[in-house]
Amino acid sequence: MDSGSGTNGAEGGERKLDFVRQIVADDIKTDKWQGKVHTRFPPEPNGYLHIGHAKSINLNYGIARDFGGKFNLRFDDTNPEKEEQEYVDSIIEDVRWLGADWEDRLLYGSDYFQQMHDWAVELIKKGKAYVCELDAEQTRAYRGTLTQPGKDSPYRNRSVEENLDLFERMRKGEFPDGAKTLRAKIDMAHPNLNLRDPIMYRIVHEHHHRQGDKWCIYPMYDWAHGFEDSIEGITHSICTLEFENHRPLYDWFIDAVNDGRTDDGSGPWGKKIHHPQQIEFARLNMTYTVMSKRKLLRLVKEGYVSGWDDPRMPTISGMRRRGYSPEAVRNFCKLIGVNKFNSTVDFALLEHCLREDLNKTSARVMAVLRPLKVVIDNYPEGQSEALDAINNPEDASAGTRKVSFSRELYIEREDFMEEPPKKFFRLAPGREVRLRYAYFITCTDVVKDADGNVVELHCTYDPATRGGDAPDGRKVKATLHWVSAPHALKAQVKLYENLFTKENPDDAEEGRDFTANLNPNSLETLTECYVEPSLARAHALDRFQFERLGYFCVDPDSTPESLVFNRTVGLRDSWARIQKKG
RNA sequence: UGGGGAAUAGUGUAACGGUAGCACGACUGACUCUGGAUCAGUUAGUUCUGGUUCGAAUCCAGGUUCCCCAGCCA
């Protein structure tokens, strides 16, 4: 992972640090953590990772790398009702694909359950926590509102002994789900609702994907998260904006544990625990897509897409299947920057990063998506020849290959017009164009079916233009891609458009939600495509540029007998813009 | 109406009291065996009102707008 440093904007050598890196740099300068930097990416395994997570991974891993620190991958698996091993597996694969290196630190918050439990007991003993028997609805009522203070739970002033006994019985499974909670005794009138005696533990009799049936009480995120970071020695706990309101609570919890503890470990409670610093940044939003796990889960569960890795999804697995490269994603993360206010990044910027990388790295190949048959009347029947083609004009080391030419070819249907408008430079009756790396051809005849549709073209070729250049120096205005009919391989090609028709999918009329803005044309499957035979040897996820069309990759479901390609992104198409303008 | 955050071209960001810059997009043009790529250029901005200062995007005061918080989710 060599891109993705925290610089962006102006060139010129001097680094411009994003605000998080600025804090880290300042902390190093002031020796706040003895020069140490330790970050982490803490996903909950309740869904697949998306491009917004890539921003966070890139930030956290990038900081650790840039400042010579460490980076942990830690699953925040405190809710067995939503978490599954499938998600754990996909997250590991995606983080690795993005290039972040956690070395041997693949960690799980649930592995700290015993320690968290012991700290909870400690808080009870210090009179800072109590077992509450209010049900969910009562708890809400007692909490008050944004403008009105809450009121104390009637269970707030139990004795330490009774709290200890009840909490232990909660742990042993004596009570049903929801019957009791352990709460922090803070302030029911606090203006920050998170501090109105927040729940630390709830009873959930559920099998945990990792801990099995060892526990039936599970820590709340607020209680668990700060301690996970503390235990791992995280110096900079980087998270998104919505947790800003929670920071005072994490601080309170750590301070509560540290109350009575000492730097040297003397005294009844022992040594103070590490108090990480939380820094919040704005999550990523992008045009024409949704980015919440809840909404993505709906798209999957309700069948709007084929799965989490549907190439139209903004998930890492979807983008990978679509043909995105990790380099492109990383460079995108670098360009968008980091800040503290909500913004929506133009999808075009991601596509720009994609094309920029793919242009440099993709082998060129010829494929015809919507074939139109061409017969070269003056080319000998039964003859064929192999012509030299450049694999990647951006990379001389990619070399050349041979492409077969013969009497019968396919060209792209839209490269021919019987009555061409002024700015149309491609093939038309009587007009001469170049077939890439082959010959100049001139259209002499148009064959139509009974309905008047063009079904075949007859052309002549100029043998002197072999390879694509005319010895007499004459020019043509267009170069077309083509495949030799007898040599070509048939393939299926899937074309993707934005999943939503609106920049902001949530902008739906009254009573409807984002699914109302799903793009009915987001997937088009072409089954009559022809590709050059070299593609028979391509492997899943191999990336190519189909000349003049765009970047494509081999779908994982593709087989040598039944080739399937996904269009990653089209080439910039100035002809399409001319057409649009009329 | 409580508390916590935040506002710079169409979009995303930089400028840390001293010429408001970069990228994407859009638009011109050049070049081209991909109407690709590349190159050159144009476009367009400090939320508002005051104040401090020789000088304010930056400091101060007040206003406006936007985001987050009332899960036994994270």
Side-chain angles (χ1 to χ4, degrees):
Chain A
M1 191 150 171
D2 50 14
S3 63
S5 71
T7 59
N8 62 28
E11 305 296 319
E14 84 270 36
R15 290 175 64 86
K16 282 170 182 158
L17 302 181
D18 60 63
F19 86 97
V20 183
R21 267 174 242 253
Q22 191 61 251
I23 292 170
V24 175
D26 290 347
D27 288 347
I28 289 174
K29 203 177 292 175
T30 60
D31 215 31
K32 181 171 177 178
W33 305 111
Q34 296 79 50
K36 279 186 291 189
V37 174
H38 202 150
T39 59
R40 100 268 97 128
F41 176 61
E44 182 189 16
N46 68 342
Y48 280 58
L49 261 29
H50 54 64
I51 181 74
H53 293 112
K55 177 183 181 181
S56 174
I57 292 163
N58 211 259
L59 217 213
N60 278 292
Y61 176 67
I63 285 174
R65 180 202 55 213
D66 294 351
F67 292 97
K70 291 177 175 175
F71 166 82
N72 293 1
L73 174 57
R74 181 185 67 233
F75 288 96
D76 206 333
D77 52 351
T78 56
N79 183 357
E81 291 174 317
K82 292 187 177 177
E83 296 153 9
E84 295 174 23
Q85 188 61 39
E86 177 198 346
Y87 297 134
V88 171
D89 297 339
S90 75
I91 289 168
I92 290 172
E93 184 183 6
D94 290 349
V95 177
R96 184 175 289 139
W97 183 77
L98 284 167
D101 183 6
W102 57 86
E103 300 175 271
D104 59 350
R105 292 179 303 281
L106 177 60
L107 304 167
Y108 295 83
S110 60
D111 286 347
Y112 313 140
F113 279 175
Q114 185 61 51
Q115 176 66 76
M116 292 177 199
H117 167 271
D118 295 347
W119 279 326
V121 169
E122 183 171 327
L123 254 60
I124 293 173
K125 288 178 181 167
K126 290 175 177 172
K128 294 176 188 292
Y130 62 96
V131 171
C132 182
E133 290 172 39
L134 258 23
D135 65 25
E137 201 177 319
Q138 292 166 321
T139 303
R140 191 180 335 115
Y142 274 73
R143 187 155 34 225
T145 69
L146 293 178
T147 51
Q148 293 167 325
K151 53 183 180 180
D152 288 357
S153 161
Y155 307 99
R156 199 172 197 262
N157 293 311
R158 292 209 233 243
S159 68
V160 168
E161 291 66 32
E162 189 180 9
N163 281 320
L164 248 16
D165 174 62
L166 286 171
F167 186 54
E168 174 60 8
R169 289 164 62 194
M170 279 169 65
R171 188 191 66 77
K172 288 200 293 204
E174 290 187 21
F175 310 115
D177 289 4
K180 290 178 172 53
T181 57
L182 183 71
R183 292 231 253 166
K185 191 191 279 193
I186 306 180
D187 178 3
M188 288 307 293
H190 198 104
N192 181 344
L193 304 237
N194 294 129
L195 287 273
R196 314 243 261 232
D197 286 14
I199 292 170
M200 297 159 61
Y201 277 90
R202 76 281 211 186
I203 301 171
V204 179
H205 291 270
E206 183 93 29
H207 189 82
H208 187 278
H209 73 96
R210 183 172 177 82
Q211 302 299 329
D213 297 311
K214 187 174 174 191
W215 297 91
C216 66
I217 54 170
Y218 287 91
M220 296 289 291
Y221 173 86
D222 282 342
W223 171 249
H225 196 80
F227 290 128
E228 293 169 13
D229 287 340
S230 174
I231 290 167
E232 295 177 13
I234 301 302
T235 54
H236 301 268
S237 303
I238 300 163
C239 67
T240 43
L241 249 31
E242 67 269 29
F243 295 108
E244 214 157 11
N245 293 329
H246 298 244
R247 182 165 17 107
L249 178 54
Y250 308 148
D251 292 342
W252 189 94
F253 280 142
I254 300 259
D255 290 344
V257 168
N258 279 339
D259 186 19
R261 289 175 180 250
T262 54
D263 288 329
D264 61 5
S266 61
W269 303 110
K271 205 171 175 212
K272 282 193 173 170
I273 64 170
H274 172 64
H275 192 152
Q277 173 186 4
Q278 176 168 292
I279 303 163
E280 305 88 6
F281 71 98
R283 66 185 335 142
L284 173 65
N285 299 295
M286 291 192 66
T287 54
Y288 298 107
T289 193
V290 292
M291 210 77 92
S292 85
K293 279 196 207 170
R294 203 198 98 248
K295 287 173 190 160
L296 295 175
L297 180 64
R298 271 195 64 194
L299 293 175
V300 173
K301 294 273 190 230
E302 294 174 24
Y304 294 113
V305 296
S306 62
W308 285 98
D309 69 343
D310 186 301
R312 293 166 293 179
M313 292 281 272
T315 52
I316 303 301
S317 54
M319 294 167 67
R320 179 168 55 235
R321 186 168 187 168
R322 173 94 169 237
Y324 279 73
S325 62
E327 290 75 16
V329 176
R330 270 184 245 136
N331 194 239
F332 171 74
C333 291
K334 173 180 169 183
L335 289 182
I336 57 176
V338 185
N339 56 40
K340 275 182 82 88
F341 55 92
N342 295 299
S343 57
T344 303
V345 177
D346 196 334
F347 202 85
L349 183 62
L350 216 206
E351 294 195 327
H352 162 77
C353 294
L354 229 201
R355 290 192 182 102
E356 187 179 47
D357 181 55
L358 264 25
N359 176 51
K360 285 184 298 195
T361 57
S362 299
R364 271 60 169 175
V365 101
M366 292 200 284
V368 173
L369 266 36
R370 295 178 176 88
L372 174 60
K373 194 167 195 179
V374 172
V375 180
I376 312 293
D377 290 323
N378 60 339
Y379 195 89
E381 231 161 312
Q383 180 177 315
S384 75
E385 61 188 307
L387 301 162
D388 290 308
I390 295 165
N391 287 330
N392 186 349
E394 306 290 324
D395 176 12
S397 71
T400 60
R401 71 185 184 289
K402 296 286 186 184
V403 290
S404 298
F405 186 86
S406 68
R407 190 170 193 267
E408 297 198 352
L409 315 166
Y410 292 114
I411 64 165
E412 207 69 52
R413 196 159 267 281
E414 62 180 34
D415 283 340
F416 172 80
M417 281 184 101
E418 197 173 13
E419 293 173 24
K422 213 174 180 71
K423 288 180 179 167
F424 185 85
F425 302 146
R426 282 110 93 147
L427 197 60
R431 188 182 284 179
E432 183 174 55
V433 299
R434 173 171 35 233
L435 293 181
R436 183 144 225 228
Y437 301 126
Y439 296 96
F440 285 13
I441 60 165
T442 303
C443 178
T444 54
D445 199 16
V446 180
V447 180
K448 297 183 189 178
D449 65 12
D451 299 324
N453 300 312
V454 176
V455 295
E456 189 177 300
L457 261 28
H458 284 263
C459 298
T460 57
Y461 84 116
D462 177 357
T465 58
R466 188 175 197 273
D469 283 306
D472 63 5
R474 75 180 189 276
K475 301 284 185 193
V476 288
K477 293 198 81 173
T479 300
L480 308 188
H481 61 278
W482 54 275
V483 293
S484 164
H487 300 91
L489 265 28
K490 203 164 185 180
Q492 187 181 98
V493 173
K494 294 181 172 182
L495 306 180
Y496 302 100
E497 298 287 337
N498 291 331
L499 229 199
F500 295 92
T501 55
K502 285 197 174 175
E503 272 199 16
N504 175 13
D506 288 317
D507 176 21
E509 40 182 291
E510 267 302 304
R512 308 197 64 183
D513 62 16
F514 68 104
T515 59
N517 293 319
L518 250 355
N519 178 7
N521 305 314
S522 60
L523 167 63
E524 183 180 4
T525 304
L526 269 22
T527 55
E528 295 281 321
C529 309
Y530 292 96
V531 302
E532 61 171 75
S534 66
L535 254 18
R537 296 185 299 274
H539 302 290
L541 298 183
D542 280 356
R543 292 183 275 261
F544 300 92
Q545 184 195 101
F546 288 1
E547 294 228 21
R548 302 211 302 134
L549 295 173
Y551 298 97
F552 294 75
C553 81
V554 180
D555 190 85
D557 289 344
S558 184
T559 65
E561 297 72 38
S562 173
L563 294 168
V564 181
F565 295 90
N566 293 317
R567 183 173 67 188
T568 311
V569 64
L571 254 21
R572 292 188 65 211
D573 187 351
S574 45
W575 167 238
R577 257 177 286 158
I578 291 167
Q579 277 179 307
K580 208 181 284 178
K581 278 191 284 187

